[in-house]
Amino acid sequence: NIVRGRNTVLINTWETDFKSLPDARRINDKASIISFFKCLPNNSQEVFIVCDELATLMQDKEIAKEINNACMFARHYKAHIIGITPRVLANEVQCKALFPARITGRLLQESDYRTALGISINVNLGMREFIIIQDKVEVFRSENNRKYIDT
């Protein structure tokens, strides 16, 4: 777990979510979420920010504005923002291009992959497989088997 033992903030999560991160700070109400992102430029230590249900958060214009600003300058603030969403509609998470890595599991249509990942791919994912895009496109299985695909 990349964030275990690190300064982690969980945004918009249930108490039963992320049980492996018992020391993580949880922020769930709108005012506190906005305040947290506005104060991010004052951050002096590395922080991992996990935004659960990112598409739902982005429906609120004030929260969306602060998340977009944070994504644009996250590396300068020593912040790593991890967005989680099961929905892949193009208009719901407009800041996705600002994420240096994107991951998705199996989706129904090729157009869903294009929306979620920002590129077209021609691959049929199996059970427990997912695609990660960072410097290159990779397909992983939950058993840590790796293969590279051409885009």
Side-chain angles (χ1 to χ4, degrees):
N1 189 333
I2 192 170
V3 297
R4 190 176 297 144
R6 307 235 182 150
N7 182 18
T8 305
V9 178
L10 303 174
I11 306 285
N12 196 38
T13 62
W14 297 97
E15 287 298 322
T16 55
D17 293 340
F18 303 99
K19 289 182 179 181
S20 65
L21 300 171
D23 298 329
R25 178 178 168 198
R26 292 177 186 268
I27 304 174
N28 291 314
D29 65 279
K30 177 180 175 176
S32 296
I33 291 170
I34 291 170
S35 176
F36 171 78
F37 281 111
K38 282 185 176 183
C39 292
L40 196 56
N42 301 324
N43 185 47
S44 62
Q45 59 183 355
E46 185 176 50
V47 62
F48 288 82
I49 305 162
V50 179
C51 299
D52 199 10
E53 298 294 341
L54 183 62
T56 301
L57 285 170
M58 298 302 280
Q59 289 175 354
D60 183 290
K61 289 183 181 185
E62 291 175 89
I63 292 175
K65 177 185 172 194
E66 297 306 325
I67 291 174
N68 280 324
N69 287 339
C71 285
M72 284 190 277
F73 301 105
R75 71 173 175 258
H76 302 294
Y77 304 151
K78 301 178 188 174
H80 307 278
I81 301 173
I82 302 165
I84 302 169
T85 185
R87 301 193 318 239
V88 292
L89 298 176
N91 62 344
E92 289 185 319
V93 183
Q94 296 177 356
C95 65
K96 70 177 182 260
L98 299 172
F99 286 87
R102 293 185 229 154
I103 302 171
T104 186
R106 188 165 70 179
L107 299 171
L108 295 177
Q109 301 175 22
E110 192 278 334
S111 62
D112 292 337
Y113 289 107
R114 190 170 49 250
T115 301
L117 301 172
I119 64 167
S120 293
I121 60 168
N122 187 14
V123 65
N124 292 318
L125 293 180
M127 296 297 293
R128 297 188 313 266
E129 286 186 325
F130 58 94
I131 295 174
I132 182 168
I133 295 182
Q134 19 187 25
D135 297 333
K136 57 187 165 281
V137 179
E138 299 178 74
V139 176
F140 287 87
R141 288 191 56 79
S142 58
E143 291 85 17
N144 294 322
N145 296 330
R146 178 186 305 190
K147 61 184 174 184
Y148 300 98
I149 60 173
D150 294 322
T151 57

